[in-house]
Amino acid sequence: MRHPTLLDAILHKRGWRRYEVFVTQLANAGARAAKHYENPRLARVKSVTRTTFGRWCAGTQEPRGDAATVVEFWLGHTVKELLGPAPERELVLARSLHDASLAAAHRLDIRFDTSFLSIAAPVPGTGGVWHMDGLRILDGTSVAVQMYEAALQPGSVVIGPEDLEHLRYFTRSTRRALLLGSLGAQGADDLYALDAAHARRQLAMPVQRLSIPMPYRLDELTYALLWACLNLDDSLLADDGTLHIEQQRLDFHLDQGRSAAARTAYSDLSQVGSLWLGSHACAAFVERHLKVDDVSPVMWSRAQFGEQAAAWLLFRERHGVLQFMRDRSSRLENTPGCALCVPESAVHGSEPYERLLLLLMVALTSIRQRCGGVAVVGWLPVMSRAVAGWAVA
């Protein structure tokens, strides 16, 4: 018995296996593909004979030319994949997305220069891939992603019951993944992100829909935090074994009055791994050698870009240093200080979402200043007004 093709399985799953339904869907796909590729000729792909349709489904004849372009655009797989055998494993396919949702995903890559979002699944049923490139320090990473049509509700957007089967199928693995809810079918171009782990906890209950809170809208701030967290976490996980070994070798340097461990001594580490190890070493060095008499200490940070500021936001060692300085200065009149120097070229040379990470770092230290923590000084005028606005807010 011949194994069914992926094309046959997809058409059965989506209720398009009847010839009359198939040619209607094919004509609609041709019109959408013509608009998407700006190629009017694709709109002429409106029908095939019943015999050709049967051969396509059986895998004995493949679509060619404009018909192949339309079918690949429509179903999200290459002709070779569609005419190949359907996977024998359990396969739950996601519903087709509205054209406006696909356009919203494309605009995300235009809006954020480090975003490369591919909604189409490289393997049927597995979801797409979202690659987030690094800039100066971050190494770049990828995460599995699946987009669904969503509806707007008070305080949240919801993915409806028609997608619950695929939601449970996609989130059953404990891998890291993201869900994207799109309002494209509702006439809006907003996208909302949710960690698959949070979705899995919701779906463990007898629910009829999946809710994504409104603050999870993919704006500059949300993307900046996703970009930084995913990149830092994945790089540190990749370096985990090497970091454990190198951390044990730091005692020699920490016992010195001055430490000058070269970056070349840690060639096996990624840039993020080296950043963490340096942060850990500096924190330990400060705790061993900082002596406070009658003057509060002032610390200088070389952070000029959001990538560097992300370490202040997400590395526990950085928070520990700030807390240590505050505790050691608690009986003094002056608070400890943190000096930053951000040249104008660094401001103009970074994207708005990356600058937000730097401003979050400033906001963090400004808040600590109010409660006896770290002050921020040494800013150039190009940033001072923005920083003041954040501090007041």
Side-chain angles (χ1 to χ4, degrees), residues 17-299:
R17 185 59 180 82
R18 287 180 53 215
Y19 172 73
E20 294 78 10
V21 176
F22 173 82
V23 294
T24 300
Q25 295 294 334
L26 180 66
N28 291 337
R32 296 198 307 271
K35 182 179 179 180
H36 179 80
Y37 292 119
E38 298 182 352
N39 183 357
R41 194 177 66 247
L42 298 179
R44 301 174 189 169
V45 181
K46 296 183 178 181
S47 181
V48 296
T49 66
R50 192 182 295 270
T51 301
T52 298
F53 171 59
R55 290 173 178 171
W56 284 5
C57 290
T60 58
Q61 179 180 334
E62 67 179 46
R64 297 182 183 277
D66 292 341
T69 302
V70 171
V71 169
E72 290 181 345
F73 169 80
W74 173 27
L75 299 178
H77 299 281
T78 66
V79 167
K80 182 178 180 180
E81 292 171 344
L82 290 169
L83 270 59
E88 295 185 7
R89 62 181 172 83
E90 178 188 2
L91 182 63
V92 179
L93 298 175
R95 290 192 304 145
S96 296
L97 292 166
H98 194 279
D99 288 348
S101 296
L102 295 174
H106 178 65
R107 284 193 294 272
L108 200 69
D109 292 346
I110 298 174
R111 185 178 182 184
F112 304 119
D113 62 344
T114 52
S115 170
F116 301 91
L117 177 58
S118 176
I119 295 301
V123 178
T126 60
V129 177
W130 193 359
H131 180 75
M132 298 180 183
D133 207 357
L135 292 172
R136 306 160 200 87
I137 299 174
L138 302 182
D139 300 305
T141 190
S142 297
V143 62
V145 65
Q146 179 64 54
M147 182 184 288
Y148 300 93
E149 297 294 341
L152 188 62
Q153 298 287 339
S156 66
V157 297
V158 296
I159 300 172
E162 60 274 11
D163 289 308
L164 283 182
E165 182 184 11
H166 189 270
L167 277 167
R168 289 193 169 93
Y169 176 80
F170 182 73
T171 59
R172 67 182 181 180
S173 171
T174 55
R175 63 176 177 172
R176 170 178 287 155
L178 292 174
L179 307 180
L180 298 182
S182 171
L183 298 179
Q186 307 292 316
D189 60 358
D190 291 332
L191 297 176
Y192 297 80
L194 183 68
D195 192 318
H198 290 280
R200 193 159 47 245
R201 285 193 286 270
Q202 285 193 51
L203 296 170
M205 307 296 290
V207 296
Q208 295 301 314
R209 56 182 54 86
L210 180 74
S211 177
I212 304 178
M214 292 291 288
Y216 292 1
R217 183 171 67 90
L218 274 172
D219 54 15
E220 278 80 4
L221 178 58
T222 306
Y223 179 78
L225 293 173
L226 274 176
W227 174 67
C229 289
L230 290 173
N231 268 286
L232 289 176
D233 198 35
D234 283 354
S235 292
L236 290 177
L237 285 173
D239 285 343
D240 184 57
T242 306
L243 280 173
H244 178 72
I245 295 172
E246 298 298 346
Q247 189 177 345
Q248 312 306 313
R249 299 175 180 174
L250 283 176
D251 287 342
F252 170 78
H253 296 287
L254 295 176
D255 287 336
Q256 308 303 308
R258 293 184 177 181
S259 176
R263 169 66 178 91
T264 54
Y266 307 102
S267 57
D268 292 339
L269 292 176
S270 66
Q271 293 193 83
V272 171
S274 298
L275 179 65
W276 182 88
L277 189 64
S279 179
H280 174 79
C282 289
F285 188 85
V286 168
E287 291 181 6
R288 290 192 184 192
H289 298 284
L290 178 64
K291 301 183 184 302
V292 178
D293 296 320
D294 56 353
V295 178
S296 295
V298 175
M299 178 172 55

Side-chain angles (χ1 to χ4, degrees), residues 319-357:
H319 291 260
V321 167
L322 299 181
Q323 183 66 40
F324 177 77
M325 292 173 62
R326 187 183 71 175
D327 292 343
R328 294 295 298 268
S329 306
S330 59
R331 298 182 181 181
L332 303 178
E333 294 183 1
N334 299 325
T335 60
C338 179
L340 304 171
C341 182
V342 182
E344 186 173 354
S345 59
V347 177
H348 293 305
S350 56
E351 293 294 317
Y353 69 88
E354 189 189 8
R355 291 200 293 267
L356 281 175
L357 295 175

